[in-house]
Amino acid sequence: MIRWLYAFIDRPLDRFEESCAFWTAVTGTTLSAARGERGEFVTLLPQRAGGDAYLKLQGVGGGGAGGAHLDLGVDDYEPFRARAVASGAVVVDDHGGWVVLRSPGGQLFCVMPWDGGAERPEPDVGVRLDQVAIDLAPSVFDAEVEFWAGLTGWGSYRGALPEFHVVRPPAEAGLPVRILLQRLDEERPTSAHLDLACADVPATTALHLRLGAEEVRRERLWTVMRDPAGGTYCLTSRDPWTGTLPSAS
C-alpha cells in the first residue's frame, strides 16, 4: 500500500540555509527550488542519473534542534488514512489532499497520495541515508512496534540489540527507507533521528567533521553526530547497499 516515502530532515528555520548546505554535501544531492509560504521546504535531488528523490528538508519553528519524520506516499489515500486513525493515530493537521498524523507513541508523520517515486538511488560514495530511527520510552515501545508493523505491512524483526526493533519493507518493493524503533532506558517524549549506512564509518565521520558536524559519542556499531544546526544523527556500520550489519552480511 505504501508506494514511496520520504525521510524529512527537520531543522530550525533560522538555520535552514546552513542545514541545506550540510545535508546536500553529505548526501551527494542538490537542492530543488524552495516551497512553502516561508520557503521552508526543499527536496534533496540525486545527482547521479537514475533514482528518485526520497530526502527532504523542512525548516521548523518552536525552538529546539529539530528531528526527523516520514511522509508516506500511498495509492489509496482515504482508506490508508482511515486505517491509520483506526490503528491509533491522531490527526494533527488536515491539509485536504494530505494529512499530518501522530502515532500512538507520539511520532509525527504524514500521509499523502503517491507522487510517482519508484526507483531507489544508488548510494553516493558508499553512504546512504536509509533509516528513520524513532526513540521511544519503555511505556510506549511495544505499542509503537505493533502500530508501525501493522500500518506499513512490512516485515517486523528484532534488532541486533534487545532495545532495537526493525520495520523493513520487502526488498522487491524498492523503497529507500526503513524504520528503526529504539527503546530508551528512561521515560521521555518520543523523538526521531536519521541514520546513515556507511561503508567506512571513520572516513565518513572525518568528512562530516570537516563540513561542520561534531562527534557526540562513539559506539561499537555507530557514531552519534551533531550537525551544524544542532540536530543529532548516527553514522552506522551497516552496509549501504543491503542495510545489514557486517556480521550479518
Side-chain angles (χ1 to χ4, degrees), residues 119-219:
E119 182 181 353
R120 184 176 77 160
E122 288 301 309
D124 186 71
V125 294
V127 178
R128 190 198 299 274
L129 196 164
D130 70 337
Q131 186 165 268
V132 171
I134 305 176
D135 303 316
L136 299 154
S139 61
V140 300
F141 179 78
D142 290 342
E144 202 74 351
V145 167
E146 181 179 359
F147 172 78
W148 286 105
L151 182 66
T152 62
W154 298 347
S156 181
Y157 310 94
R158 292 182 178 178
L161 297 173
E163 65 267 30
F164 293 137
H165 197 96
V166 179
V167 179
R168 185 175 67 219
E172 61 271 19
L175 295 174
V177 178
R178 66 185 197 171
I179 301 169
L180 177 70
L181 302 161
Q182 180 174 358
R183 186 179 63 246
L184 304 173
D185 57 7
E186 60 179 342
E187 292 294 320
R188 63 176 174 83
T190 296
S191 61
H193 67 270
L194 298 163
D195 288 347
L196 288 77
C198 307
D200 187 333
V201 172
T204 304
T205 301
L207 172 63
H208 286 218
L209 292 173
R210 290 196 298 272
L211 292 169
E214 299 176 20
E215 183 176 320
V216 176
R217 186 175 71 257
R218 190 175 300 184
E219 304 285 351

Side-chain angles (χ1 to χ4, degrees), residues 24-146:
T24 52
V26 300
T27 57
T29 56
T30 58
L31 290 180
S32 71
R35 306 178 300 279
E37 294 180 359
R38 298 175 293 176
E40 70 270 28
F41 296 104
V42 290
T43 301
L44 279 60
L45 305 171
Q47 294 189 53
R48 294 183 178 184
D52 295 308
Y54 70 97
L55 303 174
K56 295 186 179 183
L57 203 150
Q58 178 177 359
V60 297
H69 73 272
L70 285 166
D71 273 17
L72 309 179
V74 300
D75 265 335
D76 299 313
Y77 168 71
E78 291 293 347
F80 191 95
R81 169 188 162 144
R83 188 157 70 90
V85 172
S87 299
V90 175
V91 174
V92 175
D93 200 355
D94 190 340
H95 293 267
W98 61 281
V99 65
V100 182
L101 299 145
R102 181 180 289 110
S103 73
Q107 174 60 33
L108 293 175
F109 66 103
C110 299
V111 176
M112 63 181 190
W114 176 50
D115 63 0
E119 182 181 353
R120 184 176 77 160
E122 288 301 309
D124 186 71
V125 294
V127 178
R128 190 198 299 274
L129 196 164
D130 70 337
Q131 186 165 268
V132 171
I134 305 176
D135 303 316
L136 299 154
S139 61
V140 300
F141 179 78
D142 290 342
E144 202 74 351
V145 167
E146 181 179 359

